[in-house]
Amino acid sequence: MTSLEAIGAHQSATFSSGMVGAAGPDLLPGVPIGREDQLLTPAYWKWRCEIGAAEGHDYVTKDGALEDEVAFCLLGGFGIRMEVNEAFFRHLKAAGALTLEAPASESTLLALLEERIEVEGRFHRYRFPKQRARRISDALRMLADFDATSLNDLQFREAICRIPGVGPKTGSWITRNWRGAETVAILDIHVLRAGWYLGIFDRGARLPKDYLALEQKFLEFAKALDVRPAVLDAVMWSDMRIFGSRLASKILPH
């Protein structure tokens, strides 16, 4: 059974209305472990991480130079579907626009991002061409003198976040991809909703304002589940994006 088939089977299971993880002992204070067949419980997320590991997924590293990772992550984020992100990254890469030796100008990047390209059989325009052309141009210029050899993962993220447009989520994404870091978490609205629902995040917590505090709670949750943070935030993002946010919205206050 593939992960999508397994998720479909779980979607047909009992969804406990508001009683997250009612069965079993507490994983963390006030957070019962629950059962695998109760969607979005801690036990469910542990099961999802095991499925990902069994299928051999590597949610940590991507091949490529640092400038590739930075450009890829700058092209993603809120309002950009992953499929569009990947397609326009390939578009810039194929045009030779991401080399540090001869980086493309902002105007060249803008022209490339304003083109309509095919994504999954349909032609798309990129949503924020001017903003992302400027950010990628700034990043390529800054990376020409960037030396990460003496930095640990958190220091690396802090340095990467000095690039205009790189906040804690994008900085964590770059750090995860390029260094394989397990000391950071990639938190977006989907993971935030999962944490609200589980009760591991305060309902008043918001991104990016509370990023570091939320990240610490997320890492503690992953440790309690005995799963890799890299796998946990990836499967949370995937499942919440597909169906979990709709389920959680029935319980969470608006």
Side-chain angles (χ1 to χ4, degrees):
M1 178 181 290
T2 67
S3 59
L4 287 178
E5 291 170 335
I7 292 168
H10 266 60
Q11 284 180 277
S12 301
T14 301
F15 179 62
S16 180
S17 179
M19 296 300 293
V20 181
D26 281 2
L27 177 72
L28 294 170
V31 183
I33 184 67
R35 295 178 359 205
E36 289 182 2
D37 62 350
Q38 291 177 314
L39 289 172
L40 313 187
T41 63
Y44 169 83
W45 292 121
K46 184 173 179 65
W47 170 80
R48 282 290 288 119
C49 289
E50 291 169 352
I51 290 292
E55 293 185 348
H57 294 310
D58 183 359
Y59 296 99
V60 175
T61 57
K62 291 171 61 69
D63 294 332
L66 178 57
E67 57 268 27
D68 291 345
E69 297 298 344
V70 171
F72 178 84
C73 295
L74 281 172
L75 286 168
F78 180 77
I80 305 295
R81 290 192 302 115
M82 178 59 74
E83 296 78 10
V84 174
N85 178 355
E86 292 175 339
F88 274 92
F89 170 75
R90 291 194 298 269
H91 185 54
L92 295 185
K93 187 71 175 170
L98 302 179
T99 63
L100 294 184
E101 294 77 13
S105 66
E106 182 177 337
S107 60
T108 298
L109 290 165
L110 176 59
L112 288 167
L113 291 177
E114 285 182 332
E115 292 181 19
R116 295 177 73 246
I117 68 172
E118 188 172 353
V119 182
E120 296 185 320
R122 298 178 60 186
F123 282 89
H124 287 260
R125 291 187 185 277
Y126 189 76
R127 187 173 180 183
F128 309 113
K130 291 182 179 179
Q131 181 196 72
R132 303 305 165 87
R134 182 174 62 253
R135 290 180 177 179
I136 293 173
S137 177
D138 289 342
L140 293 175
R141 185 171 59 254
M142 293 178 68
L143 288 173
D145 298 317
F146 187 80
D147 182 6
T149 55
S150 63
L151 304 179
N152 64 32
D153 291 339
L154 296 181
Q155 291 168 336
F156 175 85
R157 180 175 66 180
E158 182 180 358
I160 283 292
C161 284
R162 297 188 188 117
I163 296 173
V166 176
K169 183 246 181 174
T170 303
S172 299
W173 193 7
I174 295 166
T175 304
R176 168 71 54 73
N177 282 358
W178 199 62
R179 294 177 67 114
E182 296 281 2
T183 54
V184 301
I186 306 170
L187 308 181
D188 70 350
I189 185 59
H190 298 296
V191 179
L192 182 63
R193 286 172 181 154
W196 282 338
Y197 183 82
L198 286 161
I200 62 172
F201 296 159
D202 295 335
R203 293 285 175 90
R206 293 293 184 272
L207 295 170
K209 176 175 67 75
D210 302 308
Y211 196 98
L212 296 182
L214 291 167
E215 179 180 61
Q216 186 57 42
K217 291 183 177 181
F218 180 89
L219 294 174
E220 290 170 359
F221 179 65
K223 182 177 181 180
L225 278 183
D226 193 26
V227 300
R228 291 168 52 206
V231 179
L232 181 60
D233 61 31
V235 299
M236 273 191 172
W237 172 81
S238 177
D239 288 11
M240 294 299 289
R241 184 175 75 128
I242 295 169
F243 64 87
S245 287
R246 292 194 301 273
L247 294 179
S249 68
K250 298 176 181 180
I251 307 302
L252 296 171
H254 296 285

